[in-house]
Amino acid sequence: MIDTAAFQGKTAKFYTLGCKLNFSETSTFARTLYNMGVREAKKTEQADICLINTCSVTEVADHKCRQIIHRMVRQNPGAFVIVTGCYAQLESATVAKIEGVDLVLGSNEKADLVQYLSDAWNKVDSAKEEAQEGEYHSVKTKDIKSFQASCSRGNRTRYFLKVQDGCNYFCTYCTIPFARGFSRNPTIQSLVAQAEEAAKEGGKEIVLTGVNIGDFGKTTGESFLDLVKALDKVEGIQRYRISSLEPDLIDDDLIAYCAESRAFVPHFHIPLQSGSDEVLKLMHRRYDTQLFAHKIRLIKEKMPKAFIGVDVMVGSRGERPEYFEDCYNFLNSLPITQLHVFPYSERPGTAALSIPYVVDDREKKHRAHKLLKLSDEKTRAFYAEHIGQEANVLFEKAARGKAMHGFTDNYIRVELSPAQAKEEYDNQILRVRLGEFNFDQSSLKADLL
Ligand code: SF4
């Protein structure tokens, strides 16, 4: 039982690090607390509750988590501090030792966060006096089974619907399966109900999030394609984006369905990680460059205007200069739109540490720079192809007197001048003609039709 009366009038601050999944979970916690009478504290105000949802994707992320926790504790003296997320799962004892942390919840406990908070809240005074260390709850990876349902509005117009959690792949550089457990998902029926709820609240666009979304169905004996078909029927939702799909799990049938679907937009985000078959083998990825190229070409054949974002890691162990060259040439040859480039980071406990060839930091930066330049060229060419064309744009809230921004279905950022912008365009899909690049080259200017 949660004693909501104890929380009436309290204030909370939230800090999220990492992926869209974490952001979606944090906003669900925030909404639950809001329904219990807790309001979000202003920046300058000291909060009664601080929640930090952590990430552990790199060493830098770990360091940043510790910094944020220290800062939240320092800026909110006496607040009840909860830390959850991947870093809290992997390093629960370390986090619990940080002065001022009251509760550390691993990935399995996340789903019951509010119950844990309520239980701990009741004994907070005595616990604060006695304990120098926070209380922590986390179980081993194999026992992480819970699923925290989560569909909430992000900072802008989009909703984030969590359709899956965990991963069974164990790529050699990755700690996610240790932090989030094995793949699991809720039923299609429950996800459709959440999408209907978002539509009732006025939601127009939903981003499907998860760790390995294409693996959807493991728990329920359903398939990702069935989920896509069911969500496509939800009235009121006009756009769905799929946040990321492993190349080997993008069925040709899924591509064909998206091309004909009512609301799934021509926008894909695919983690390639390396364009060298040698490196893909070292990473234990489950596809080769040939399969990847086939998926990209099929997407472009069925949806010529599709925006395709690709994740690439540079400087991973074993990436010799000639393999990086292969990667660069492969990416250059493909009709993709944008690269998300990540320098490899050593993670304790991963199999990649046994690969002897190491790339130094300077070389990693050089490789990242080269790929980012390629990415800029490709994105710019993609935008330029659309100048003069008509498009539908979902506009986002803007300050009065400022330009409004929004995205086309194929993810081109669009700018509407202050003279054309109107408050009521927020969260509206409007028809525009796309013009030239704006002053900082981040968007195309648009005229309403
Ligand atoms: S597919 Fe590989 S990289 Fe992605 S979460 Fe799973 S183990 Fe990590």
Side-chain angles (χ1 to χ4, degrees):
M1 266 290 282
I2 295 170
D3 176 14
T4 53
F7 291 94
Q8 288 294 328
K10 301 289 177 208
T11 57
K13 274 187 188 164
F14 306 92
Y15 200 102
T16 311
L17 296 110
C19 60
K20 290 195 184 102
L21 199 50
N22 270 13
F23 279 87
S24 130
E25 289 169 351
T26 305
S27 53
T28 300
F29 297 139
R31 193 160 56 175
T32 313
L33 289 178
Y34 178 78
N35 291 337
M36 289 160 57
V38 178
R39 79 171 163 81
E40 191 162 351
K42 296 196 185 94
K43 258 194 189 152
T44 48
E45 209 178 355
Q46 283 182 18
D48 301 306
I49 300 163
C50 292
L51 172 70
I52 303 133
N53 198 356
T54 60
C55 167
S56 184
V57 73
T58 59
E59 232 172 275
V60 176
D62 288 358
H63 178 70
K64 200 164 170 206
C65 290
R66 291 190 296 271
Q67 269 184 334
I68 298 295
I69 298 167
H70 284 298
R71 198 205 300 163
M72 287 287 243
V73 168
R74 205 174 51 241
Q75 293 178 344
N76 300 278
F80 189 90
V81 178
I82 314 157
V83 184
T84 188
C86 293
Y87 183 58
Q89 169 68 32
L90 294 172
E91 298 290 342
S92 43
T94 311
V95 178
K97 283 196 187 107
I98 298 177
E99 211 182 316
V101 170
D102 297 288
L103 188 58
V104 183
L105 297 176
S107 297
N108 201 50
E109 292 69 33
K110 220 179 205 183
D112 297 319
L113 185 139
V114 176
Q115 183 66 58
Y116 277 104
L117 166 65
S118 172
D119 294 348
W121 185 265
N122 293 331
K123 42 181 188 174
V124 67
D125 290 339
S126 52
K128 279 239 176 209
E129 273 159 27
E130 287 162 20
Q132 299 303 312
E133 261 181 39
E135 180 178 338
Y136 67 92
H137 304 266
S138 71
V139 299
K140 291 195 187 107
T141 306
K142 70 175 178 44
D143 296 321
I144 301 174
K145 297 207 169 104
S146 70
F147 186 92
Q148 188 222 346
S150 175
C151 177
S152 33
R153 198 172 171 157
N155 290 342
R156 298 192 188 138
T157 46
R158 289 177 210 128
Y159 277 70
F160 292 91
L161 174 62
K162 177 174 157 186
V163 302
Q164 184 272 347
D165 202 346
C167 184
N168 297 356
Y169 272 25
F170 290 94
C171 302
T172 53
Y173 55 84
C174 182
T175 49
I176 287 180
F178 306 113
R180 284 200 170 257
F182 293 129
S183 184
R184 57 208 186 275
N185 60 274
T187 60
I188 291 178
Q189 200 189 7
S190 72
L191 291 166
V192 166
Q194 289 175 67
E196 285 169 346
E197 199 52 41
K200 257 194 238 154
E201 288 176 17
K204 300 224 165 55
E205 180 172 316
I206 290 183
V207 182
L208 307 188
T209 65
V211 171
N212 189 343
I213 297 178
D215 210 30
F216 178 92
K218 277 259 155 15
T219 332
T220 53
E222 297 166 306
S223 79
F224 184 60
L225 183 55
D226 290 339
L227 172 66
V228 164
K229 287 180 180 170
L231 288 173
D232 207 19
K233 293 196 192 108
V234 175
E235 266 177 51
I237 301 299
Q238 298 182 37
R239 288 177 170 185
Y240 289 99
R241 297 185 196 276
I242 303 168
S243 70
S244 170
L245 276 175
E246 284 296 306
D248 55 305
L249 295 174
I250 308 176
D251 272 353
D252 290 2
D253 289 352
L254 177 70
I255 297 172
Y257 182 82
C258 287
E260 301 294 321
S261 91
R262 180 189 65 84
F264 278 80
V265 293
H267 174 196
F268 293 83
H269 179 170
I270 313 174
L272 168 67
Q273 308 306 13
S274 175
S276 148
D277 284 324
E278 301 306 322
V279 176
L280 288 176
K281 270 185 229 148
L282 289 172
M283 289 175 161
H284 287 185
R285 301 289 286 168
R286 301 184 179 198
Y287 52 87
D288 57 14
T289 51
Q290 203 188 342
L291 179 131
F292 190 85
H294 162 73
K295 298 293 173 189
I296 300 292
R297 298 221 158 90
L298 190 63
I299 290 171
K300 280 304 221 188
E301 185 192 309
K302 303 267 181 204
M303 291 165 265
K305 288 189 175 183
F307 180 112
I308 305 179
V310 174
D311 289 343
V312 197
M313 189 179 286
V314 289
S316 59
R317 284 207 176 208
E319 190 186 55
R320 294 175 183 276
E322 61 272 30
Y323 298 159
F324 175 70
E325 279 310 300
D326 291 345
C327 174
Y328 182 90
N329 293 334
F330 178 66
L331 289 166
N332 197 14
S333 73
L334 293 175
I336 53 182
T337 321
Q338 193 171 53
L339 298 172
H340 305 272
V341 183
F342 305 92
Y344 166 73
S345 169
E346 310 253 273
R347 308 306 295 132
T350 54
L353 298 182
S354 63
I355 303 169
Y357 187 90
V358 177
V359 181
D360 68 40
D361 284 349
R362 216 165 136 242
E363 179 58 21
K364 272 187 213 167
K365 266 196 200 141
H366 169 70
R367 292 180 190 182
H369 184 74
K370 208 171 159 189
L371 287 187
L372 286 171
K373 194 163 165 284
L374 177 64
S375 175
D376 279 351
E377 288 162 13
K378 285 192 175 276
T379 311
R380 203 180 154 76
F382 182 79
Y383 271 44
E385 276 167 27
H386 288 76
I387 294 175
Q389 297 188 6
E390 292 185 15
N392 292 325
V393 176
L394 176 56
F395 282 101
E396 296 162 4
K397 201 181 178 74
R400 193 170 289 177
K402 299 269 182 208
M404 271 189 122
H405 292 92
F407 285 89
T408 61
D409 55 359
N410 60 346
Y411 212 54
I412 291 176
R413 190 165 185 263
V414 167
E415 183 172 298
L416 198 62
S417 65
Q420 294 183 84
K422 283 193 183 148
E423 227 169 287
E424 64 260 33
Y425 294 164
D426 173 28
N427 199 33
Q428 296 300 319
I429 295 182
L430 301 172
R431 190 91 182 144
V432 302
R433 183 171 304 282
L434 300 171
E436 294 294 326
F437 282 90
N438 69 342
F439 80 103
D440 66 359
Q441 313 284 302
S442 64
S443 313
L444 290 184
K445 292 191 224 166
D447 284 314
L448 290 174
L449 289 172

